[in-house]
Amino acid sequence: MIANIVKPGHKTRGVLNYLYGPGRANEHTDPHLVASFDGFAPDPGRDPDATLAQLTAVLDLRVKQAGDKAPNDHVWHCSIRAAPEDRVLSDDEWGIIARRVLNATGIAPVGDPDACRWVAVRHADDHIHIVATKVRGDLRPPRNWNDFLHADNELAAIEEQYGLRQVVRGDRTAAKRPTRAEQEKARRTGNARTARERLRTTVRTALAAAASTEEFFRLLEGSGVLVDIQYFPSGDVRGYKVAVDGDTNKDGQPVWFSGSTLAPDLSYPKIADRLESVTTPTADRTQSPAWRRLTQAADQTPDLLATIDDGTGQAHIAALAETLNALPLIAPADLRPQLVQAAAAFERASRSRIRARHQQARATRAAVKAVLREPAPKDGAVLAALFDALLLAVVAACHWHQARHHDQQAEAAALTAEHLRAVYQAAAVQPLAVIHRRGRRLALPRLQQQATVVRQVLPDLADQIVAETGWPALAATLTDTTAAGHDPAALLAQATRHWELDTATSLSDVLTWRLRRLADLPQHTPGATTSQEPARPARSASARRAR
């Protein structure tokens, strides 16, 4: 069940007119009371002698008595909706639910003779509306602070007791959703997303690419959005706000959004804290290529999340989100739509109430910045290896959130994994075909030898793996690991430790990539070329892609 408590209003009659009326699309059928503060409130829906004026007068009695002491916005309005798959509840059940919510929120505590006056109106099978006037019998206002949180907690208990769908609940760290007005404005202007959503993506992309707050603002300005930076008298940055160029209010002024209104982790203090932990990427010939370092960092994420403290784990998940935000800037064009969807889905999984210790994920985040300053590899094997590592990292993040009862974040990570799986499968087609051809040239004794290794390590899955079309590629990879001086059985056991067996569509293909990474085998596939184009500055890349 979901509760929606709207902004307080000042017209009791106006709310009742809507609840007892036909609705915006004649969707209101048989509006009637299911419960009220005294059980005797007039019901204009079922009693022909009752009127909306009478019901309004009953609810507003104490408001009139309080006079100037009554709050201007005295109408408390809460709708409660069941899930589509839930059974149809009776009027009596809805009445009990209404009383429990009113008690939990402090509007009408059980047994309080001075509780606020209220009614619960039903005009559809799946939901009710509760309307209360916020003046108690002693003419004081009710104590209903944090009413949404209390209502939500009570509905969670009701779901369990009534055998209803248990809704995934958040921890109040989600980004603010676009308002209905913003959504309607986007439709009128022909945009698939609202200005708030587009700006959130732009800011996140700039943050993923920037190595300092100065560069962050330069990238924002270069992306085409309007940027207004506020300063303290000392000259230090106090905050910032952004607007879509051309998005104006009724007075023709830009519609500004501060970073904190886009998402809790996009306020200037949060961004500055994160960027302070970044080491500016520099050219270092002794380092391995940035793409390889990023793949290795993603590969280490499952082990890290299983062993490190929560604050460090949250930092690595935030760094994983930055990786996903950065990749659409430089990935091949055919992979970008799914990568954009993956980044958008993981946005909800990127934060929780656990405070991230960003300095602990410095190496991963430095690798992300460096990747944006290097040419994108044309060798599909490099990309496929990275996407496979990221997929495993996202699955590990899903498990991490589940273990901490972060329901919304776990659900978002699971959706991200679906998008990443599609990206990996598309990127792996060509490089896997090359390795498959090598595997098909292996002599039968060598194939049988590698099959024995698989049966030793994975006895329950060996028959399935050997029967797959990807088996020759896995056999060739096991042969390569032996030639590189590794124990193929030990390496295979390590490759399956954090393996999401239930979701892998081809066990042999997944193991092929993980073995190659664990054994540090060359990812370059024969016939592939590496881009010789000069590295593009991060600013120009972000300016083209960040919108």
Side-chain angles (χ1 to χ4, degrees):
M1 286 188 157
I2 297 176
N4 180 32
I5 300 174
V6 301
K7 184 178 179 180
H10 63 281
K11 292 183 178 180
T12 307
R13 177 65 181 267
V15 177
L16 295 176
N17 282 342
Y18 167 72
L19 297 183
Y20 278 94
R24 293 186 175 90
N26 295 316
E27 74 275 18
H28 295 179
T29 59
D30 186 25
H32 61 280
L33 293 184
V34 296
S36 66
F37 68 98
D38 62 356
F40 298 104
D43 184 2
R46 293 282 178 89
D47 183 355
D49 295 327
T51 66
L52 287 175
Q54 291 174 334
L55 183 56
T56 302
V58 168
L59 290 174
D60 278 348
L61 175 63
R62 291 170 176 170
V63 178
K64 301 294 185 184
Q65 292 173 341
D68 293 341
K69 294 182 179 179
N72 292 329
D73 294 324
H74 62 268
V75 182
W76 188 84
H77 179 194
C78 170
S79 63
I80 303 173
R81 185 177 299 273
E85 63 269 31
D86 285 340
R87 63 181 175 84
V88 176
L89 299 171
S90 68
D91 282 357
D92 288 342
E93 288 175 315
W94 275 120
I96 293 171
I97 291 170
R99 291 185 180 91
R100 289 182 61 168
V101 169
L102 286 160
N103 175 66
T105 56
I107 295 293
V110 173
D112 183 353
D114 288 329
C116 297
R117 295 191 166 201
W118 60 271
V119 293
V121 180
R122 182 179 189 179
H123 54 214
D125 285 342
D126 63 347
H127 70 279
I128 61 170
H129 292 258
I130 304 173
V131 180
T133 46
K134 294 176 59 177
V135 178
R136 290 168 42 82
D138 53 15
L139 304 187
R140 292 185 295 127
R143 299 173 63 87
N144 66 308
W145 294 283
N146 286 328
D147 48 5
F148 173 79
L149 181 60
H150 294 308
D152 199 49
N153 290 339
E154 187 65 25
L155 289 178
I158 289 170
E159 289 166 354
E160 184 175 359
Q161 294 168 15
Y162 280 66
L164 306 176
R165 176 190 169 188
Q166 294 186 323
V167 175
V168 174
R169 288 181 157 80
D171 54 5
R172 308 182 82 178
T173 61
K176 184 178 179 180
R177 294 181 179 180
T179 65
R180 176 176 292 182
E182 290 171 359
Q183 293 171 337
E184 292 177 353
K185 185 176 183 180
R187 283 193 290 270
R188 289 197 307 270
T189 55
N191 289 299
R193 299 191 301 159
T194 65
R196 184 193 300 271
E197 292 168 317
R198 285 181 284 158
L199 289 168
R200 186 181 299 139
T201 299
T202 302
V203 172
R204 287 202 181 283
T205 305
L207 178 58
S212 65
T213 54
E214 294 78 12
E215 186 179 15
F216 168 71
F217 288 127
R218 287 200 303 271
L219 293 174
L220 275 184
E221 292 167 348
S223 68
V225 304
L226 304 180
V227 182
D228 182 14
I229 305 173
Q230 293 94 43
Y231 296 91
F232 288 110
S234 62
D236 295 326
V237 175
R238 178 170 61 88
Y240 74 99
K241 56 184 179 179
V242 289
V244 173
D245 193 8
D247 179 36
T248 58
N249 58 23
K250 59 183 178 62
D251 299 322
Q253 299 299 313
V255 179
W256 294 100
F257 294 86
S258 66
S260 60
T261 61
L262 296 178
D265 58 335
L266 294 182
S267 67
Y268 178 74
K270 294 287 183 65
I271 286 176
D273 178 56
R274 191 179 303 188
L275 290 177
E276 281 178 2
S277 67
V278 176
T279 303
T280 304
T282 56
D284 186 348
R285 295 183 181 275
T286 65
Q287 285 186 317
S288 59
W291 287 86
R292 187 186 185 99
R293 281 185 279 133
L294 186 57
T295 301
Q296 291 172 336
D299 249 338
Q300 294 168 2
T301 299
D303 281 326
L304 288 172
L305 291 180
T307 58
I308 54 183
D309 64 272
D310 282 0
T312 303
Q314 182 62 62
H316 280 280
I317 289 175
L320 181 57
E322 289 190 26
T323 305
L324 296 175
N325 289 328
L327 286 178
L329 297 176
I330 45 182
D334 59 321
L335 301 179
R336 286 174 196 156
Q338 283 281 8
L339 284 172
V340 168
Q341 292 183 64
F346 200 72
E347 190 270 340
R348 181 64 193 98
S350 65
R351 62 184 173 273
S352 68
R353 287 208 171 270
I354 298 172
R355 183 178 178 84
R357 300 174 60 197
H358 290 298
Q359 68 276 14
Q360 301 299 322
R362 181 178 299 153
T364 301
R365 301 179 66 250
V368 175
K369 316 297 180 186
V371 158
L372 291 171
R373 290 160 173 80
E374 286 192 4
K378 291 186 176 181
D379 183 0
V382 176
L383 288 172
L386 173 60
F387 295 143
D388 181 57
L390 289 173
L391 172 58
L392 188 61
V394 167
V395 171
C398 179
H399 295 162
W400 189 86
H401 281 306
Q402 286 174 337
R404 288 153 184 80
H405 305 290
H406 301 164
D407 295 338
Q408 288 187 351
Q409 290 90 333
E411 190 175 73
L415 177 59
T416 306
E418 293 180 16
H419 293 303
L420 277 181
R421 192 169 290 109
V423 172
Y424 158 73
Q425 289 169 348
V429 171
Q430 187 275 333
L432 275 177
V434 174
I435 305 174
H436 284 180
R437 287 195 292 271
R438 287 186 52 232
R440 285 193 292 269
R441 292 196 293 267
L442 288 178
L444 182 59
R446 183 56 60 86
L447 283 171
Q448 292 174 336
Q449 177 187 359
Q450 304 305 350
T452 299
V453 173
V454 174
R455 294 185 193 282
Q456 173 189 341
V457 179
L458 301 169
D460 296 334
L461 296 171
D463 289 342
Q464 177 184 343
I465 293 173
V466 173
E468 289 180 347
T469 57
W471 161 241
L474 178 56
T477 299
L478 286 168
T479 301
D480 291 342
T481 63
T482 303
H486 296 280
D487 178 353
L491 212 61
L492 186 60
Q494 184 181 352
T496 60
R497 190 170 59 217
H498 296 291
W499 182 18
E500 72 284 10
L501 298 176
D502 295 336
T503 58
T505 55
S506 173
L507 308 184
S508 52
D509 286 351
V510 170
L511 285 173
T512 294
W513 289 121
R514 298 193 183 156
L515 285 172
R516 300 192 74 82
R517 295 201 304 276
L518 289 171
D520 203 20
L521 299 176
Q523 299 295 345
H524 181 73
T525 52
T529 58
T530 302
S531 172
Q532 297 302 316
E533 299 173 2
R536 294 173 296 176
R539 177 177 180 176
S540 62
S542 298
R544 284 194 293 271
R545 307 294 185 204
R547 291 188 183 184

